[in-house]
């Protein structure tokens, strides 16, 4: 299946360099699943990546969640992810002013050297995107920023009137912006976000699980197919996969659902 066909207008219109790479990977592997690999040991992560690697398009990390983290071990883990053709996405939720965000791309974890995509809040203003892109530029790499336009957790303040619109206006014309985070747990909110965003940027959505409803500590879950039909381009799934008895089978099930929904949306 041609990527241009399944992604429709977004294939031509999206302007961040990392987007087509994601779209290609998703088509090659027939999956829109982004694994939220929220495990706390390097060994657990390595095993998980190997069991789900063929069924996911991107690996989402929280590098500061790992108890036995070492720079060397992390480098090996990233190589393992790359051998599975995965986009590496650090969900760091940067939020500081531009120059500090640029510096935080370096530091102990040196995120700029291994992540292809990172998340950021736009609360400090639009220059955070340029700061993060300058971080990649410092090591001769390209990347993309996902701005948080919505969140999946209950009571989050991004739902206050005007915030989502302001975030989209601030990010839509910046080529450093890969896309926006939308709320996978509420298809109607997501459809509103898609209407604001148009085809210029991707939307990735956490808060997705085959078991819909309230999760732990304020997390909320919506249905994966509904999220994609409402305009999501990537479903972020964590516990729905890694807590399952067979993560490989669970990842494959989410992959099949996501791919089928994309084909339905694009009408091919
Ligand atoms: P879960 O196990 O599928 O609930 O994991 C969800 C992941 O997505 C977890 O890593 C969160 O940090 C991440 N997340 C989220 O749940 N909701 C949000 O609004 C954002 C990120 Br942004």
């Amino acid at each position: 299946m041609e990527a241009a066909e399944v992604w429709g207008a977004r294939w031509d219109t999206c302007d961040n360099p990392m987007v087509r790479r994601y779209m290609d990977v998703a088509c090659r592997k027939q999956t829109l699943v982004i694994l939220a690999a929220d495990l706390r040991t390097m060994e657990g992560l390595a095993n998980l990546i190997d069991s789900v690697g063929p069924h996911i398009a991107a690996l989402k990390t929280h590098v500061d969640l790992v108890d036995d983290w070492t720079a060397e071990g992390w480098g090996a883990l990233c190589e393992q992810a790359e051998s599975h053709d995965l986009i590496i996405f650090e969900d760091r939720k940067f939020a500081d002013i531009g120059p500090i965000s640029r510096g935080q791309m370096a530091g102990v974890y040196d995120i700029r050297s291994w992540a292809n995509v990172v998340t950021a809040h736009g609360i400090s203003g639009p220059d955070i995107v340029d700061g993060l892109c300058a971080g990649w530029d410092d090591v001769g790499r390209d990347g993309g920023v996902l701005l948080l336009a919505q969140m999946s957790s209950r009571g989050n303040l991004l739902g206050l009137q005007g915030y989502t619109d302001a975030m989209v206006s601030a990010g839509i014309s910046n080529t450093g912006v890969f896309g926006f985070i939308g709320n996978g747990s509420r298809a109607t909110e997501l459809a509103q976000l898609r209407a604001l965003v148009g085809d210029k940027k991707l939307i990735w959505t956490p808060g997705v699980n085959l078991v819909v409803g309230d999760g732990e500590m304020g997390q909320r879950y919506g249905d994966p197919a509904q999220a994609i039909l409402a305009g999501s381009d990537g479903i972020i799934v964590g516990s729905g996969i890694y807590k399952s008895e067979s993560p490989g089978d669970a990842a494959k099930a989410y992959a099949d659902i996501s791919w089928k929904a994309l084909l339905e949306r694009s009408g091919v």
Side-chain angles (χ1 to χ4, degrees):
M1 192 88 49
E2 288 293 316
E5 218 182 330
V6 276
W7 289 105
R10 250 158 262 172
W11 173 260
D12 287 319
T13 322
C14 282
D15 56 3
N16 175 265
M18 209 47 70
V19 169
R20 280 202 176 182
R21 192 172 147 200
Y22 167 70
M23 288 177 162
D24 259 335
V25 172
C27 278
R28 245 191 329 272
K29 299 173 85 174
Q30 306 206 335
T31 174
L32 273 65
V33 176
I34 294 126
L35 171 74
D38 295 333
L39 299 185
R40 296 183 53 179
T41 66
M42 300 288 288
E43 192 189 353
L45 284 168
N47 292 338
L48 181 63
I49 293 169
D50 271 342
S51 54
V52 306
H55 311 301
I56 63 174
L59 172 72
K60 185 178 93 65
T61 56
H62 283 300
V63 65
D64 53 355
L65 198 74
V66 181
D67 292 329
D68 56 352
W69 188 90
T70 60
E72 207 186 6
W74 195 257
L77 207 74
C78 289
E79 274 178 29
Q80 191 189 339
E82 274 153 19
S83 75
H84 283 288
D85 206 4
L86 300 175
I87 305 272
I88 305 180
F89 162 28
E90 167 61 23
D91 188 8
R92 169 65 176 70
K93 301 182 183 73
F94 290 96
D96 214 311
I97 59 169
I100 296 301
S101 300
R102 177 185 195 167
Q104 288 171 321
M105 285 286 272
V108 174
Y109 293 122
D110 203 27
I111 294 170
R112 61 190 181 171
S113 296
W114 49 267
N116 306 118
V117 177
V118 299
T119 41
H121 280 288
I123 194 78
S124 56
D127 295 280
I128 189 166
V129 176
D130 298 338
L132 294 169
C133 289
W136 274 305
D137 202 40
D138 289 339
V139 288
R141 282 164 52 92
D142 265 337
V145 178
L146 272 162
L147 287 170
L148 274 68
Q150 296 175 334
M151 288 190 77
S152 63
S153 45
R154 79 173 172 211
N156 75 77
L157 304 183
L158 280 61
L160 292 180
Q161 202 183 1
Y163 190 96
T164 299
D165 298 45
M167 195 68 274
V168 172
S169 307
I172 197 79
S173 302
N174 190 330
T175 55
V177 174
F178 175 91
F180 295 94
I181 290 287
N183 175 11
S185 76
R186 295 290 183 273
T188 43
E189 279 178 33
L190 200 51
Q192 286 161 6
L193 177 62
R194 175 51 75 192
L196 281 175
V197 170
D199 285 317
K200 215 169 165 194
K201 302 289 179 189
L202 296 189
I203 297 177
W204 280 6
T205 51
V208 168
N209 199 297
L210 283 169
V211 182
V212 302
D214 291 340
E216 237 182 315
M217 289 188 198
Q219 176 67 304
R220 301 175 296 181
Y221 292 111
D223 177 75
Q226 270 187 29
I228 289 163
L229 293 173
S232 166
D233 301 306
I235 49 168
I236 298 172
V237 185
S239 43
I241 293 175
Y242 68 76
K243 280 195 182 162
S244 127
E245 266 181 26
S246 169
D249 291 339
K252 167 98 173 68
Y254 280 97
D256 290 348
I257 289 167
S258 68
W259 184 246
K260 194 166 157 262
L262 180 66
L263 295 186
E264 184 181 337
R265 185 176 88 191
S266 60
V268 283

